[in-house]
Amino acid sequence: MLGIELCRRFYAEIVEPVMDTLSPVSYSATLIGPGSEVLGFDTEMSRDHDWGPRVYLFLHERDLALRETIRALLDQRVPPSFYGFPIDIKMTVITTVPNFIRGHLATDITRSLELVDWLTFPSQNLLEITRGEVFRDDDGQLSALRHTFAFYPRDIWLYLMASGWQRIGQEEHLMHRSGFVGDELGSAVIGSRVVRDIMNLCFLMEGQYAPYPKWFGTAFRRLKCSDQLLPCLLTAQTTADWRERELALNEAYSCLSQMHNGLGISENIPADASMFYDRPFKVMNGERVAGLIAGQIADSELQQLAQARLIGGIDQITDNTDFRKLGSWPDGDLARNALKTLFKPLRK
């Protein structure tokens, strides 16, 4: 049994009857947040920690005083196990939607988001809000939340894609240059970075949040473009010969260009890679593509940012796991606001 099905039954058979014993209370019940089961990627190995019957209960602020009563009732009524799995009632979280978002994204959901706020949210965190399953939503608060975070606003989407192409443009020729002087290891490392940037672009082009590294490749295989791209990306990733890597990446670039042109967000880009100046290798000229996309950004402040520094969002500027989790830091709001200053270079 997958974890999401186990939690669905746990809510229906254990939690909901307990909630029905209270005086009428509007609440939402769901499985969202961290956990492989939220994404539907859990396996038997996932069960060794932080896995089991659980649910998030979201109350309104006015009813939060019932939290201890609800927990006491659950303590009294839950059996030792559920469908053969032990129950740890502490895994069931009782909170409010604003408190959850404050601890997850270090932002106040009761206030309007700025565009640059989106650049501080890791895509994994956004995925954890929008995936999983809602079991009950009396007042529609979860539906509203998931609608808000369904996907990036258009200008942020354009900025992130432009930044992705910029990253490719800055490194695509370095992979060839390293291989040309006999540094196959260095070429392979750069090639791997380019492969990851291509995969991230694919998520963006298909309107999907990319998960964190453990499920990055698994989720990529579910994208529409994966059947066409997987063979060439695997070759680029595994070959020990830089010329084979070049051919494989050029094939991937051709697929990317078709996807980009299909979006209709800028003038069409060439379908094939071209020579890098007078050197004996081909590139896609990613920085030119980045400029074309950035030119379509409508928001004046974000357009200025794109012109000043096309660095992307938090996932594109850092690979540090702890830093990406700044939303859960005790001073996460301060850290996130400090990060926002990077995206406001022209503000006085």
Side-chain angles (χ1 to χ4, degrees), residues 8 14 24 62 122 142 195-196 209 283 288 290 305 317 320:
R8 182 188 301 116
I14 303 293
R62 64 179 181 269
L142 277 181
V195 165
R196 184 177 61 175
Y209 292 129
V283 296
R288 176 181 178 274
L305 171 63
I317 62 176
N320 184 276

Side-chain angles (χ1 to χ4, degrees), residues 242-254:
W242 74 274
R243 280 298 189 187
E244 290 184 9
R245 189 175 303 111
E246 176 188 23
L247 293 174
L249 285 177
N250 286 346
E251 185 178 347
Y253 293 147
S254 178

Side-chain angles (χ1 to χ4, degrees), residues 305-321:
L305 171 63
Q307 294 173 1
R309 45 184 180 230
L310 204 55
I311 57 177
I314 187 172
D315 293 313
Q316 293 167 310
I317 62 176
T318 178
D319 293 330
N320 184 276
T321 299

Side-chain angles (χ1 to χ4, degrees), residues 23-284:
S23 58
V25 175
S26 294
Y27 70 96
S28 300
T30 182
L31 179 66
I32 58 175
S36 299
E37 66 268 43
V38 173
L39 305 184
F41 293 145
D42 53 315
T43 66
E44 289 188 9
M45 185 178 290
S46 306
R47 300 174 183 175
D48 63 358
H49 72 286
D50 298 335
W51 189 97
R54 64 188 182 94
V55 68
Y56 273 87
L57 292 177
F58 291 115
L59 306 178
H60 291 284
E61 189 69 36
R62 64 179 181 269
D63 298 318
L64 200 54
L66 293 172
R67 179 165 47 191
E68 295 308 316
T69 300
I70 295 170
R71 194 167 297 284
L73 289 171
L74 289 173
D75 282 334
Q76 293 171 11
R77 301 193 183 194
V78 296
S81 65
F82 185 73
Y83 287 89
F85 299 100
I87 297 177
D88 181 358
I89 201 62
K90 290 181 290 187
M91 291 177 61
T92 289
V93 177
I94 306 172
T95 185
T96 65
V97 167
N99 284 345
F100 171 78
I101 293 299
R102 192 174 296 111
H104 206 62
L105 297 178
T107 193
D108 185 352
I109 194 61
T110 64
R111 300 179 181 177
S112 297
L113 293 175
E114 296 182 87
L115 273 182
V116 293
D117 282 313
W118 289 86
L119 299 178
T120 71
F121 300 147
S123 60
Q124 170 67 24
N125 291 41
L126 296 172
L127 200 60
E128 291 172 358
I129 295 170
T130 55
R131 292 286 291 274
E133 186 172 324
V134 176
F135 308 133
R136 176 167 175 160
D137 193 22
D138 287 342
D139 296 329
Q141 58 177 339
L142 277 181
S143 296
L145 176 73
R146 287 154 73 93
H147 176 75
T148 296
F149 290 106
F151 197 60
Y152 301 112
R154 178 178 173 82
D155 278 350
I156 292 294
W157 177 61
L158 292 171
Y159 178 77
L160 293 175
M161 284 195 296
S163 300
W165 278 107
Q166 180 87 342
R167 287 171 61 93
I168 290 174
Q170 290 169 340
E171 295 200 353
E172 55 184 341
H173 62 288
L174 303 180
M175 186 278 291
H176 306 83
R177 190 69 177 99
S178 297
F180 191 76
V181 297
D183 180 12
E184 286 290 0
L185 177 60
S187 175
V189 169
I190 300 170
S192 294
R193 289 170 57 87
V194 173
V195 165
R196 184 177 61 175
D197 289 336
I198 289 172
M199 293 169 69
N200 271 315
L201 267 176
C202 290
F203 279 102
L204 288 167
M205 288 185 183
E206 293 198 13
Q208 302 287 329
Y209 292 129
Y212 77 133
K214 179 168 66 171
W215 302 120
F216 187 64
T218 301
F220 179 80
R221 288 199 298 270
R222 298 186 179 184
L223 296 181
K224 296 175 183 178
C225 64
S226 65
D227 286 345
Q228 185 176 358
L229 273 169
L230 268 176
C232 50
L233 293 182
L234 282 171
T235 298
Q237 182 70 53
T238 59
T239 184
D241 180 82
W242 74 274
R243 280 298 189 187
E244 290 184 9
R245 189 175 303 111
E246 176 188 23
L247 293 174
L249 285 177
N250 286 346
E251 185 178 347
Y253 293 147
S254 178
C255 179
L256 271 191
S257 66
Q258 294 175 38
M259 292 173 64
H260 172 83
N261 292 338
L263 293 174
I265 56 175
S266 76
E267 66 182 70
N268 283 354
I269 61 176
D272 300 305
S274 56
M275 300 303 296
F276 184 68
Y277 296 100
D278 294 330
R279 300 183 182 185
F281 33 80
K282 293 183 176 181
V283 296
M284 197 62 203

